[in-house]
């Protein structure tokens, strides 16, 4: 079976793919100090709890935190006796190479989402990912990543607002009942929610203005369904975009190795 690992700045997600579907998905906080042994104990405890008897023979990793990759490599070598495929490394092929400025390193999560988005929706896409950062990835008609936009993430902005202002508390992100807040918390929630709706709509409008052909907008990330309530700009919401992309990239590289 395949274990797909998506290591983000905040959380690391592990999913088990049996060849037809994901049979388990677990997440932990991203910590570069977590050892291979700790990962293994955590994973096997969850497998035992869910009465799963699985044999991991393949591992693919996408990581935006380079320092975490070493211990994930040790995990796969020591406990699963296989060499992981790491997205973004020279030995990991993509269906179409990104077209960006020479010397530019594209985040592996953005490459994976591009592959996944193109597989499900075709080309000429804007992929909006509500993660630690809010990213906009532009997919050309042939499936190539051709650039994008990076904005501060929603929770990151909230944390900065409360930490930099003594009188403002930390608040949760929610769809406010009305735009005009009647108290401090409601005012902050409205500002963040409608501020990000305006950010997403505005950036997508500008991207579309620079692109020759019509474009679909696909959203992913935990907060995507919440923001969908306040805008009609999204053509679809994908909750497993990254994991689907990891499966596709793993299959592509398996086919290349056996060709």
């Amino acid at each position: 079976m395949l274990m797909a690992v998506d290591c983000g700045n905040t959380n690391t997600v592990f999913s088990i793919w049996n060849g037809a579907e994901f049979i388990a998905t677990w997440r932990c906080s991203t910590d570069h100090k977590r050892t291979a042994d700790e990962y293994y104990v955590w994973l096997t405890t969850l497998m035992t709890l869910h009465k799963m008897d699985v044999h991991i023979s393949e591992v693919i990793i996408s990581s935006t935190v380079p320092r975490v990759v070493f211990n994930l490599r040790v995990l796969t070598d020591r406990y699963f006796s296989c060499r992981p495929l790491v997205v973004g490394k020279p030995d990991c092929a993509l269906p179409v190479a990104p077209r960006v400025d020479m010397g530019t390193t594209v985040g592996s999560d953005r490459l994976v989402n591009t592959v996944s988005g193109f597989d499900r929706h075709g080309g000429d896409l804007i992929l909006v990912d509500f993660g630690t950062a809010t990213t906009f990835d532009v997919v050309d008609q042939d499936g190539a990543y051709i650039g994008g936009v990076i904005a501060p993430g929603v929770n990151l902005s909230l944390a900065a607002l409360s930490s930099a202002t003594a009188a403002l508390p930390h608040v949760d992100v929610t769809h406010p009942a009305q735009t005009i807040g009647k108290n401090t918390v409601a005012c902050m929630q409205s500002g963040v929610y409608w501020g990000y709706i305006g950010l997403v709509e505005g950036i997508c409008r500008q991207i579309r203005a620079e692109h020759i052909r019509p474009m679909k907008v696909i959203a992913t990330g935990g907060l995507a369904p919440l923001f969908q309530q306040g805008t009609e700009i999204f053509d679809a919401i994908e909750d497993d975009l990254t994991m689907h992309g990891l499966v596709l990239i793993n299959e592509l590289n398996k086919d290349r190795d056996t060709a």
Side-chain angles (χ1 to χ4, degrees):
M1 292 187 186
L2 171 68
M3 183 170 71
V5 184
D6 174 29
C7 178
N9 289 293
T10 304
N11 292 315
T12 299
V13 181
F14 295 77
S15 289
I16 309 299
W17 174 259
N18 68 0
E21 62 182 350
F22 288 108
I23 59 173
T25 296
W26 303 300
R27 68 182 59 229
C28 63
S29 59
T30 299
D31 183 0
H32 71 273
K33 294 181 290 186
R34 183 172 284 115
T35 67
D37 300 332
E38 289 173 318
Y39 280 121
Y40 183 71
V41 169
W42 176 73
L43 284 167
T44 52
T45 299
L46 287 169
M47 291 176 186
T48 301
L49 182 65
H50 289 85
K51 298 181 172 60
M52 297 177 61
D53 182 17
V54 299
H55 172 67
I56 304 298
S57 58
E58 303 170 82
V59 177
I60 183 169
I61 300 168
S62 168
S63 178
T64 59
V65 186
R67 296 174 69 186
V68 174
V69 175
F70 174 78
N71 282 325
L72 289 173
R73 283 184 179 274
V74 175
L75 167 72
T76 60
D77 177 64
R78 180 179 297 168
Y79 291 108
F80 303 128
S81 301
C82 64
R83 182 173 180 268
L85 184 65
V86 181
V87 180
K89 298 299 182 182
D91 62 341
C92 180
L94 297 173
V96 185
R99 293 194 288 270
V100 294
D101 291 343
M102 186 176 297
T104 299
T105 300
V106 181
S108 60
D109 56 333
R110 308 180 80 175
L111 296 174
V112 172
N113 286 350
T114 295
V115 173
S116 184
F118 180 74
D119 179 71
R120 287 182 169 173
H121 301 281
D124 297 319
L125 301 178
I126 304 171
L127 304 176
V128 184
D129 188 352
F130 292 94
T132 305
T134 301
T135 59
F136 300 75
D137 301 324
V138 181
V139 184
D140 210 354
Q141 62 179 340
D142 63 346
Y145 172 88
I146 57 171
V149 176
I150 302 175
V154 180
N155 288 313
L156 191 63
S157 296
L158 275 173
L161 185 63
S162 61
S163 64
T165 50
L168 296 181
H170 179 76
V171 299
D172 293 327
V173 186
T174 187
H175 185 180
Q178 57 189 35
T179 306
I180 302 173
K182 301 296 186 181
N183 55 68
T184 300
V185 170
C187 288
M188 293 175 65
Q189 289 175 330
S190 182
V192 169
Y193 187 83
W194 293 114
Y196 268 85
I197 291 292
L199 180 145
V200 170
E201 291 180 341
I203 290 178
C204 288
R205 182 174 61 249
Q206 290 300 115
I207 291 174
R208 281 172 163 168
E210 296 178 12
H211 201 73
I212 300 173
R213 295 170 298 276
M215 307 183 76
K216 293 181 181 180
V217 180
I218 312 300
T220 189
L223 292 175
L226 175 65
F227 283 99
Q228 185 187 33
Q229 299 172 22
T231 182
E232 297 181 353
I233 198 168
F234 301 135
D235 293 284
I237 301 292
E238 298 279 7
D239 59 359
D240 66 340
L241 196 67
T242 304
M243 287 302 171
H244 177 65
L246 286 172
V247 171
L248 293 174
I249 293 171
N250 187 71
E251 289 299 317
L252 171 68
N253 284 268
K254 282 176 62 179
D255 293 341
R256 185 189 65 166
D257 292 340
T258 56

